[in-house]
């Protein structure tokens, strides 16, 4: 993809990865992009690089605008390798006067690349740097998404180069929010938040409050993945505020796997009970649903209901996988329950309850187990469980 001038003298020079399908267990079924930005000013400055296999895309784009050796500064907003993987080649070609990063960024860069000879310049939160006509203000954003993370704010343009924040894993030939379908853009943004940033929600809420207190205008958000927010950056900031509060809606998610459809039959009866209480229900059979798509739905669901048949004295592997992934993402403010069919031992429900309790999900019941195949009477406790969950959802709103 060729460079795109996103503002006068500010150019996107990144790379589009159409083929990425997995990002640490997150299903990136529509690929991604690694966004780098080149500012042509008295001090020509490059913000972030791209994943190593795309280094020639980046260098080619830079050369279309300027000779690499004319670049004075390189800013590393984030050390994760999807943004710093090309740094050795960039520094070799550019020979920058300075490489700006946070204090944690310098530590992490040394631990990744072992190059103490690079011209590091550590910056502090709020520190400003003049490029000539433009001024960069560095905003430290620890844990969004790594300890080293920071964002760079261009004061004169109101442009926030936001690193991982506000991004999406979505490969497109378009570069801006107003060039793509808005509903799809928000879906990818929600998936990204749920699968990457959810555990740091408290920090995101704090960051947005701090930026509001500073009163700095944000006219454009140039994130390191996906589309640049130029039409309405407030739309994604509002969504991040809402998601960071973790205030779920009147929604329930029934996530399960099933051996011979008994657990699935139970899932349907639980769903019926929830519907009787006026709660919206989404059913997700993990044989057909990727864990990261389930997480997107977790974001706005109040009730999380997990079902598994018992296999070899435990829950099914797909359910264990989902629970392990979910636990790391630390969802808050949920009610839940477990259910499942069994043949002779039936440990799955107890094991699911243990994981949900460890995650501080409020269990509304000890769960429901059915031996082998439920008949009409056998489904009544499932219907009741659904109603109880629905009542808990309604009471919480
Ligand atoms: Fe896009 Fe945390 O890296």
């Amino acid at each position: 993809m060729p460079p795109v001038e996103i503002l006068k003298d500010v150019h996107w020079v990144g790379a589009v990865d159409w083929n990425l399908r997995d990002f640490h267990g997150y299903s990136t079924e529509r690929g991604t992009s690694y966004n780098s930005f080149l500012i042509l000013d008295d001090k020509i400055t490059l913000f972030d690089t791209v994943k190593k296999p795309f280094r020639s895309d980046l260098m080619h784009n830079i050369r279309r605008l300027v000779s690499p050796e004319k670049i004075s500064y390189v800013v590393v907003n984030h050390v994760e390798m999807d943004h710093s993987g090309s740094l050795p080649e960039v520094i070799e070609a550019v020979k920058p006067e300075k490489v700006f990063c946070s204090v944690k960024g310098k530590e992490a860069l040394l631990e990744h690349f072992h190059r103490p000879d690079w011209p590091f310049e550590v910056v502090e939160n709020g520190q400003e740097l003049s490029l000539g006509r433009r001024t960069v203000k560095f905003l430290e954003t620890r844990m969004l998404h790594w300890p080293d993370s920071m964002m760079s704010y261009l004061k004169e343009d109101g442009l926030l180069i936001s690193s991982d924040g506000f991004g999406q894993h979505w490969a497109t030939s378009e570069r801006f929010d107003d060039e793509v379908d808005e509903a799809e853009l928000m879906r990818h943004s929600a998936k990204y938040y749920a699968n990457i940033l959810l555990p740091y929600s408290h920090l995101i809420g704090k960051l947005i409050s701090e930026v509001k207190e500073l009163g700095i205008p944000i006219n454009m958000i140039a994130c390191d993945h996906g589309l640049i927010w130029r039409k309405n950056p407030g739309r994604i900031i509002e969504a991040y505020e809402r998601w960071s509060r973790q205030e779920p809606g009147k929604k329930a998610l029934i996530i399960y796997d099933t051996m011979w459809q008994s657990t699935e039959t139970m899932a349907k009866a639980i769903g019926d009970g929830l519907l009787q209480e006026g709660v919206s229900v989404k059913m997700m059979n993990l044989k057909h649903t990727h864990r990261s798509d389930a997480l997107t739905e977790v974001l706005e669901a109040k009730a999380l209901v997990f079902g598994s048949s018992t296999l070899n004295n435990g829950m099914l592997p797909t359910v264990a996988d989902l629970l392990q992934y979910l636990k790391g993402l630390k969802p808050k403010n949920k009610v839940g329950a477990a259910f499942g069919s069994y043949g002779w031992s039936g440990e799955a429900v107890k094991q699911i309850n243990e994981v949900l309790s460890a995650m501080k999900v409020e269990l509304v019941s000890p769960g429901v187990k059915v031996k082998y195949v439920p008949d009409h009477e056998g489904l009544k406790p499932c219907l009741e469980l659904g109603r109880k969950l629905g009542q808990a959802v309604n009471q919480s709103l």
Side-chain angles (χ1 to χ4, degrees), residues 23 78 80 82-83 145-146 164 169 192 225:
F23 189 91
H78 182 22
E80 192 165 10
D82 47 341
H83 309 294
H145 149 239
W146 276 12
D164 275 342
H169 285 309
Y192 184 96
H225 297 290

Side-chain angles (χ1 to χ4, degrees), residues 313-357:
N313 307 109
M315 64 182 99
L316 289 167
T318 47
V319 180
D321 171 283
L322 192 280
L323 287 171
Q324 171 67 19
Y325 188 69
L326 181 67
K327 194 174 162 189
L329 290 164
K330 300 186 174 70
K332 288 195 167 46
N333 305 327
K334 307 292 187 190
V335 297
F339 65 96
S341 144
Y342 68 101
W344 48 97
S345 55
E347 291 91 343
V349 166
K350 180 170 171 278
Q351 291 175 5
I352 293 171
N353 279 342
E354 285 168 4
V355 182
L356 293 180
S357 297

